[in-house]
């Protein structure tokens, strides 16, 4: 019973492994996806939030609040990048009328 | 207490997997919102309640809603063919497993760290405070003093993003008539009024 405390005691490594798995799911979402561009943007958001988990975990377990300050910056950049990415998507859709990833293969429209 | 961690972790992994594998994009965005909510719950478990609520407000309330707007605005067909998914699936699994394996190997070198106490301390301050301490209060103490420059640069980043989004998507329709203030204020007195001799029973070709 003593050795199974890794189940009931949540340590820093639990959160870090969770962040790794979420980051890997985000990566898989980018290159397993042949459907639409929005899935790629959503996978990028998943990757960013996995990194956020990492930062907040380190902030808690090392009692340093600067990591949470950096989390706010990551949040800001993620929101800005999502806005610009979607604006580019809308502008692209106006030109080629599809968001299929396979069709975006011409350099000059 | 640890059941909450496993609950939030399991649901966030499940929802993230569903984000990338559902056919309907609207369902994908809703699963993304579910992921964000579960990760906000994890942040509250870590003692960062301000970050958790900011996540809900900014990520769910702004970014995910933006995604929903765009998904509903564009005419996205639900993908009927899953051939390409199956073709790339082995390579995808291999790459994901290699990635997880590499990072886990890096993590194995660490000792096990246990959680001390959530609100142990702020950044390197000599003054020990008693009383009610909240995440947002402690964050405010260093965000507006030590990291003021980064905070202002965040504002600049958001401003640049706003500019970019407007420039990319704003388009004037040519059929709608608009005022040109510059043209109106720069007209000369001698071209405002024009005296024309109109012959009777014949019209006048007026140019706008």
């Amino acid at each position: 019973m003593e050795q199974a405390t890794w189940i009931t005691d949540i340590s820093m490594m639990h959160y870090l492994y969770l962040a790794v798995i979420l980051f890997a799911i985000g990566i898989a979402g980018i290159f397993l996806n042949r459907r639409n561009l929005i899935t790629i943007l959503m996978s990028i958001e998943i990757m960013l939030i996995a990194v956020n988990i990492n930062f907040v975990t380190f902030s808690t377990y090392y009692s340093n609040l600067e990591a949470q300050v950096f989390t706010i910056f990551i949040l800001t950049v993620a929101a800005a990048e999502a806005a610009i990415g979607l604006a580019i998507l809308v502008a692209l859709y106006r030109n080629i009328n599809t968001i299929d990833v396979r069709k975006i293969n011409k350099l000059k429209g | 207490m640890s059941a909450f961690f496993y609950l939030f972790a399991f649901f966030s992994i499940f929802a993230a997997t569903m984000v990338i594998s559902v056919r309907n994009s609207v369902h994908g965005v809703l699963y993304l919102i579910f992921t964000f909510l579960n990760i906000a719950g994890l942040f509250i478990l870590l003692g960062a309640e301000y970050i958790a609520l900011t996540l809900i407000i900014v990520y769910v309330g702004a970014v995910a809603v933006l995604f929903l707007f765009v998904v509903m605005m564009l005419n996205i067909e639900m993908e009927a063919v899953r051939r390409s998914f199956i073709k790339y699936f082995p390579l995808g699994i291999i790459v994901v497993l290699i990635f997880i394996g590499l990072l886990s190997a890096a993590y194995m070198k660490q000792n096990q760290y246990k959680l001390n106490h959530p609100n142990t301390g702020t950044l390197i301050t000599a003054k020990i405070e008693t009383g009610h301490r909240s995440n947002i209060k402690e964050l405010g103490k260093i965000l507006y003093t030590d990291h003021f420059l980064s905070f202002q640069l965040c504002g600049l980043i958001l401003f640049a993003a706003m500019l970019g989004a407007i420039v990319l998507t704003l388009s004037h329709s040519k059929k709608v008539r608009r005022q040109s203030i510059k043209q109106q204020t720069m007209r000369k007195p001698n071209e405002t009024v024009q005296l024309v001799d109109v012959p009777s029973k014949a019209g006048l070709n007026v140019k706008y």
Side-chain angles (χ1 to χ4, degrees):
Chain A
M1 281 305 164
E2 246 330 289
Q3 272 111 22
T5 52
W6 65 269
I7 298 180
T8 49
D9 279 339
I10 302 297
S11 69
M12 183 174 79
M13 304 311 296
H14 286 83
Y15 285 98
L16 297 184
Y17 281 123
L18 171 70
V20 168
I21 293 175
L22 276 172
F23 196 79
I25 291 176
I27 289 182
I30 290 187
F31 66 78
L32 279 183
N33 156 68
R34 288 288 177 265
R35 268 163 264 176
N36 50 15
L37 220 45
I38 293 191
T39 310
I40 295 183
L41 287 169
M42 289 197 287
S43 306
I44 294 178
E45 295 297 322
I46 293 176
M47 289 201 283
L48 281 166
I49 207 170
V51 172
N52 268 350
I53 294 178
N54 236 339
F55 271 107
V56 176
T57 304
F58 284 131
S59 154
T60 299
Y61 284 85
Y62 287 106
S63 302
N64 191 345
L65 215 57
E66 271 187 350
Q68 291 190 15
V69 170
F70 200 73
T71 305
I72 298 180
F73 300 152
I74 295 179
L75 213 60
T76 306
V77 168
E81 164 248 332
I84 300 260
L86 287 169
I88 292 178
L89 184 77
V90 164
L92 180 75
Y93 182 81
R94 278 194 193 147
N95 282 335
I96 61 177
N97 231 27
T98 177
I99 55 169
D100 196 347
V101 178
R102 291 168 293 199
K103 306 248 184 342
I104 310 174
N105 53 1
K106 294 181 176 31
L107 266 184
K108 209 161 147 63
Chain B
M1 196 54 201
S2 65
F4 282 112
F5 168 76
Y6 285 112
L7 193 78
F8 287 137
F10 170 71
F11 277 136
S12 64
I13 292 178
F14 164 73
T17 312
M18 296 301 281
V19 164
I20 62 178
S21 52
V22 287
R23 283 201 249 152
N24 195 350
S25 297
V26 180
H27 292 171
V29 178
L30 294 177
Y31 275 117
L32 188 73
I33 293 177
F34 191 51
T35 311
F36 290 155
L37 288 176
N38 280 304
I39 293 179
L42 278 173
F43 283 171
I44 293 186
L45 276 179
L46 283 168
E49 69 266 9
Y50 168 70
I51 306 284
L53 293 175
T54 305
L55 220 73
I56 295 179
I57 293 176
V58 170
Y59 260 130
V60 175
V63 172
V65 168
L66 190 60
F67 270 112
L68 265 177
F69 274 136
V70 172
V71 161
M72 289 185 188
M73 187 172 73
L74 309 179
N75 186 16
I76 299 174
E77 294 125 19
M78 292 201 282
E79 181 80 6
V81 175
R82 311 263 290 191
R83 248 182 277 136
S84 53
F85 190 80
I86 298 176
K87 187 169 89 165
Y88 292 106
F89 192 70
L91 177 67
I93 287 294
I94 288 174
V95 171
V96 164
L97 286 177
I98 287 178
F99 182 77
I100 295 182
L102 278 174
L103 274 178
S104 305
Y107 284 155
M108 292 293 186
K109 304 249 179 183
Q110 306 280 335
N111 296 323
Q112 290 289 326
Y113 289 98
K114 295 252 175 15
L115 174 61
N116 300 323
H117 189 271
N119 292 324
T120 308
T122 62
L123 181 63
I124 321 168
T125 54
K127 190 167 73 160
I128 307 293
E129 292 203 15
T130 56
H132 176 65
R133 297 161 75 199
S134 62
N135 183 238
I136 184 171
K137 200 191 280 191
E138 303 299 329
L139 266 178
K141 281 182 191 163
I142 53 172
L143 186 62
Y144 300 111
T145 53
D146 297 329
H147 304 280
F148 181 67
L149 176 66
S150 316
F151 170 71
Q152 292 292 309
L153 287 177
C154 269
L156 272 181
I157 289 176
L158 289 172
F159 179 58
M162 180 176 74
L163 270 182
I166 292 177
V167 162
L168 279 169
T169 52
L170 189 63
S171 71
H172 287 300
S173 163
K174 302 244 181 342
K175 285 185 269 190
V176 176
R177 288 166 185 234
R178 284 190 160 80
Q179 287 179 323
S180 166
I181 308 289
K182 185 187 85 165
Q183 197 176 355
Q184 284 174 353
T185 52
M186 281 185 51
R187 67 176 191 172
K188 297 188 177 39
N190 54 1
E191 63 191 35
T192 51
V193 180
Q194 195 181 17
L195 287 178
V196 180
D197 220 353
V198 187
S200 70
K201 299 214 175 114
L204 197 63
N205 227 1
V206 179
K207 247 197 303 191
Y208 284 108

